[in-house]
Amino acid sequence: MKQVPTLNHLAKQRQEKMALSVSATATVFLSFLLLLLVPTSFCSDDNVNFKTVVPQSDADLLEFPLNLEYLEAEFFLWASLGRGLDSVAPDLTMGGPPPVGARKATLDPFTNDVILQFAYQEVGHLRAIKSTVKGFARPQLNLSAEAFGEVMNSAFGRALNPPFNPYANEINFLIASYVVPYVGLTGYVGANPKLQSPTSKRLVAGLLAVESGQDAVIRGLLYKRASEKVKPYGITVVEFTNRISELRNKLGSSGLKDEGLIVPNLRGAEGKIRGNVLAGDQNSLGFDRTPEEILRIVYGSGNERVPGGFFPKGGDGRIAKSHLQSP
């Protein structure tokens, strides 16, 4: 026979439901309170505070790449948009002088689209570094056709006629672009093991990933046209890359750390292939360079104490300045 609930039984059930409701409400409130008290850096990677203090040695190594990031940002912005940081992100220049000789390149729509993507990526790199360390104002940059022409003349050991102009067409611009990002990525490879702070290592890993990607795209586009002769010189694309890499090895003065698009079999991946769309050592690991090696290359002088090339007044930051002040 079915039992009819008594008044006492119904009251007891009501009390139990109210207790459960109060408990659930308290749990929600405490969870919300904990979320308010826990630092945001524990809640989401998107809220990481990059102003974490890093050791001075890390700060120096993180500031130095700004020289190359400024160079790449201005080169890619001007080539794709016909304007630079002063228009796109004036806050990042910190009042530094505008680059000399930069201008819009004559590019097909596809190449222009790729270079524009690179350009905005470099703007992001500048922001990321300056969110971690103080940084410095944009140094004086020389991005004139003459500056790139001198690189090519040095690479071939003679004056090209007519002078090489990176802004003339897409193949010239891709060859000129081959000169720039790779130098920066070897610097990141070299800096990473010297860093102490996890914040610094994370930043450099992120920068290296995208810089390597840019270099891979440039090399891939050039590799597809490796046997094409660059007008009006009658010199193949692969010969341009090989000569540029040889020049950078010479200026860096630290052995083989640079390779063109086609290499002898013994220097290819696993010593079995000549195609070299990605440069790497005997284990296909990225080559590393020190700040001093990079300065020798971008100055075009082979001497970290003698500015010139893309940096007529020298680089900025403690590392670059320490060499400029040396006897």
Side-chain angles (χ1 to χ4, degrees), residues 4-14:
V4 178
T6 65
L7 289 175
N8 287 339
H9 182 68
L10 291 173
K12 185 177 180 181
Q13 285 184 328
R14 191 178 298 111

Side-chain angles (χ1 to χ4, degrees), residues 126-147:
L126 289 170
R127 290 194 189 282
I129 295 174
K130 291 186 177 189
S131 294
T132 309
V133 293
K134 181 179 178 181
F136 49 79
R138 174 182 55 195
Q140 181 65 73
L141 301 170
N142 183 356
L143 295 175
S144 66
E146 291 74 17

Side-chain angles (χ1 to χ4, degrees), residues 259 266-271 280-285 287:
E259 296 175 329
L266 290 177
R267 280 169 49 190
E270 291 297 292
D281 65 12
Q282 67 272 21
N283 294 316
S284 294
L285 301 178
F287 292 106

Side-chain angles (χ1 to χ4, degrees), residues 50-127:
F50 284 110
K51 283 298 184 182
T52 303
V53 176
V54 297
Q56 184 60 55
S57 59
D58 280 16
D60 292 343
L61 288 169
L62 293 177
E63 278 194 332
F64 178 78
L66 281 173
N67 290 295
L68 278 296
E69 299 291 355
Y70 274 124
L71 175 66
E72 294 176 55
E74 292 289 12
F75 185 49
F76 292 144
L77 282 171
W78 275 98
S80 57
L81 288 177
R83 50 196 173 92
L85 284 171
D86 288 311
S87 172
V88 174
D91 58 306
L92 294 176
T93 70
M94 297 171 66
V100 173
R103 66 179 180 84
K104 179 75 175 69
T106 302
L107 305 174
D108 64 273
F110 173 79
T111 305
N112 199 89
D113 178 44
V114 170
I115 298 304
L116 180 59
Q117 292 178 49
F118 288 178
Y120 284 123
Q121 289 165 4
E122 297 305 333
V123 173
H125 290 179
L126 289 170
R127 290 194 189 282

Side-chain angles (χ1 to χ4, degrees), residues 24 109 146 165 190 223:
E146 291 74 17
N165 180 357
Y223 187 74

Side-chain angles (χ1 to χ4, degrees), residues 233-301:
Y233 309 110
I235 301 170
T236 62
V237 168
V238 70
E239 183 65 11
F240 265 96
T241 66
N242 289 342
R243 292 296 189 108
I244 293 167
S245 288
E246 289 170 6
L247 174 65
R248 291 189 297 211
N249 282 325
K250 178 182 176 182
L251 293 173
S253 303
S254 294
L256 178 65
K257 295 189 176 182
D258 218 305
E259 296 175 329
L261 295 175
I262 302 291
V263 295
N265 277 338
L266 290 177
R267 280 169 49 190
E270 291 297 292
K272 295 180 179 179
I273 194 166
R274 297 189 66 213
N276 198 44
V277 70
L278 296 178
D281 65 12
Q282 67 272 21
N283 294 316
S284 294
L285 301 178
F287 292 106
D288 65 292
R289 282 193 170 105
T290 65
E292 290 73 23
E293 292 171 60
I294 291 173
L295 290 174
R296 295 169 200 158
I297 294 168
V298 297
Y299 288 173
S301 64

